[in-house]
Amino acid sequence: MKLRPDTLAMTAVLAMLTALGPLSTDFYLPSLPDIVHVMGTDVAGAQATLSSFLFGFAAGQILWGPLSDRLGRKPVLLAGLGLFTVATLACAFSPSIEALTAARALQALGASGPIVLGRAMVRDLYEGARAGKELARMGMIMGLVPAVAPVIGGVLQVAFGWRSTFIASLVFALGLAAVIVTVMPETLRKRSPQPLSLVTIFKGFGTLLENRAFRVYVALTALAYAGLFAFISGSSFVLTGVYGLTPVQYGLSFSFGVVGFIGGTILAQRLVGSRGMDGIIGLGVLCLALGGLMMLGAVATGAGGAFGVVLSWAVYACGVGLTMPQAQASAMMPFPDRAGAASSFNGLCQMLLSACVGLLVGHLLKGAALPLPLVMSALGVAAFVLFKLSGRVRAAKH
């Protein structure tokens, strides 16, 4: 029995594909302070394990999409999952911070395949606003994972230590691979005739970039995700180190943002038919700017303590839920024959900007909370300004 494209089960599987990468990070967020202690490193060293993950994720974005355009989604997907499982074992048994950082990059190389191909498979199966709605539905389902993952990670950290969080990621990946092998159909309708080489891949990316609207939507996606990652990489040090939350309390606080993200995806599903994808993105970038500025005000004035930070995080995350699925769908719409490559380049830009932002946050924090909202507000406002200035380009779609 194969999954049908119009079923919630198909949506759930695609959502789990896109959740694998975030899950492997969210599980061990509560463990970052402990990794600093156990590995004898500092905040920047522990944060480097997150940025190395993003650099590996970015490298994978270059390959998986074009490979799947040529070889098919399913075999390339399984190859990525296989690499992820091997690298996750290496993470679990890393003897030093340097080994963990290297293993995380390899783990990300494998994890990038499922998220790139999950987006491409949506483009294989759906058109126009339906694709945006489907990505929003996937985001809603995927949002349940980070809602519980930091909490589970906090419990695992307290009970078994930080290595157990990687074992949990491994179990999830193996279960997902079993589903792909047994019930997931091949969604690619026509394979690309282009030969496989780095030269042809980058030439293909160049062709995509000739589309001005594509450039705008990719930039909006990257800015939204970079702000999200800034919070992911710095929040455990701010909320536990500055505001004194426990690992479990931190996991619960992180879940407030997930509620905001899910709320954004639900709004997108309900309103995209009447407002269109650009209308939803406009609401999203407004929330990004508002959430970032709210957090900046809360930290600068001390208003609300940890709750002020968490509430602002929920508003920002709502903006991510509104913005990213619609911007991703809009970026891929003009390229039905190169959805894999379009998805790859989109993800590549997300990961490169986020990795740089994560390194910046790690070096700026140094026991202070203010650098985190400064970075997030700058990214949110930049997304809002770009959207407002790009109206003609987006309307022309070229």
Side-chain angles (χ1 to χ4, degrees), residues 69-305:
D69 286 343
R70 173 71 171 167
L71 303 177
R73 310 291 189 219
K74 190 170 180 177
V76 176
L77 178 57
L78 289 172
L81 285 170
L83 178 59
F84 177 86
T85 58
V86 172
T88 301
L89 279 175
C91 290
F93 294 100
S94 292
S96 66
I97 192 65
E98 293 80 12
L100 178 60
T101 302
R104 284 287 282 168
L106 187 62
Q107 185 192 39
L109 192 64
S112 61
I115 194 168
V116 167
L117 299 184
R119 292 193 301 258
M121 291 165 81
V122 169
R123 183 61 187 90
D124 292 342
L125 297 170
Y126 309 105
E127 295 283 345
R130 173 64 194 276
K133 183 176 182 179
E134 196 65 24
L135 283 170
R137 289 178 67 193
M138 287 168 56
M140 180 182 67
I141 295 172
M142 185 183 74
L144 297 174
V145 175
V148 298
V151 178
I152 296 173
V155 172
L156 289 172
Q157 165 63 36
V158 172
F160 304 109
W162 66 268
R163 298 180 191 274
S164 63
T165 63
F166 288 105
I167 301 301
S169 296
L170 178 64
V171 171
F172 181 85
L174 290 174
L176 189 56
V179 172
I180 299 304
V181 169
T182 55
V183 299
M184 175 64 75
E186 175 59 62
T187 63
L188 185 63
R189 300 171 189 173
K190 183 180 179 181
R191 299 191 180 191
S192 171
Q194 295 293 326
L196 289 174
S197 72
L198 285 177
V199 172
T200 57
I201 288 173
F202 281 104
K203 282 184 177 179
F205 288 162
T207 301
L208 297 174
L209 286 170
E210 292 174 3
N211 186 302
R212 296 171 65 198
F214 176 78
R215 299 198 299 265
V216 170
Y217 289 123
V218 167
L220 289 170
T221 304
L223 288 167
Y225 188 81
L228 174 69
F229 187 75
F231 190 84
I232 288 173
S233 64
S235 59
S236 62
F237 298 106
V238 170
L239 291 175
T240 63
V242 177
Y243 290 97
L245 301 188
T246 68
V248 174
Q249 288 173 332
Y250 166 73
L252 292 171
S253 298
F254 191 87
S255 298
F256 272 83
V258 177
V259 172
F261 176 81
I262 293 174
T265 64
I266 292 173
L267 281 175
Q269 292 175 65
R270 293 184 176 180
L271 298 178
V272 68
S274 59
R275 299 183 66 101
M277 289 191 285
D278 274 8
I280 300 301
I281 295 171
L283 291 175
V285 295
L286 178 62
C287 289
L288 295 178
L290 181 61
L293 293 173
M294 283 175 58
M295 189 181 298
L296 182 60
V299 172
T301 63

